Amino acid sequence: MNKAELISAMAAGADMTKADATKALNAFLDVVMDALKKGEKVTLVGFGTLSVAERAARTGINPVTKETIEIPARKVVKFKPSTELWFE
């Protein structure tokens, strides 16, 4: 499912226009991204938790040249699904 399909599904599920669903989704994404940039956790009960984690610097290998390269430390987004989120 891509963003346009998600907007269509939200519009149908919430009985709103696609324009309103687009505004709602974009506002949601902006709020989540701002919270993650501040280092805060975003918990959606019944769905999961998004958080920011530090990934340590490490040594890697360039698959083309087989040279050893240094990969710098960076921040990454982690998702921990809720126990209620099961796929059957």
Side-chain angles (χ1 to χ4, degrees):
M1 177 179 283
N2 62 30
K3 188 174 181 180
E5 293 169 339
L6 178 58
I7 289 169
S8 294
M10 287 174 54
D15 194 29
M16 63 171 62
T17 66
K18 285 186 181 182
D20 288 341
T22 301
K23 288 179 189 176
L25 180 60
N26 287 337
F28 170 76
L29 293 175
D30 289 342
V31 170
V32 169
M33 286 190 283
D34 288 343
L36 292 172
K37 285 177 185 177
K38 293 177 186 175
E40 299 172 0
K41 286 184 180 181
V42 178
T43 302
L44 302 170
V45 177
F47 184 71
T49 302
L50 293 160
S51 61
V52 178
E54 291 282 338
R55 186 171 282 175
R58 62 191 192 280
T59 303
I61 298 176
N62 182 327
V64 176
T65 64
K66 307 297 185 211
E67 286 183 38
T68 302
I69 57 173
E70 290 299 317
I71 302 169
R74 64 184 192 158
K75 293 181 180 180
V76 294
V77 176
K78 290 174 50 175
F79 176 71
K80 183 179 178 187
S82 168
T83 56
E84 297 171 26
L85 184 65
W86 290 102
F87 304 102
E88 294 182 25

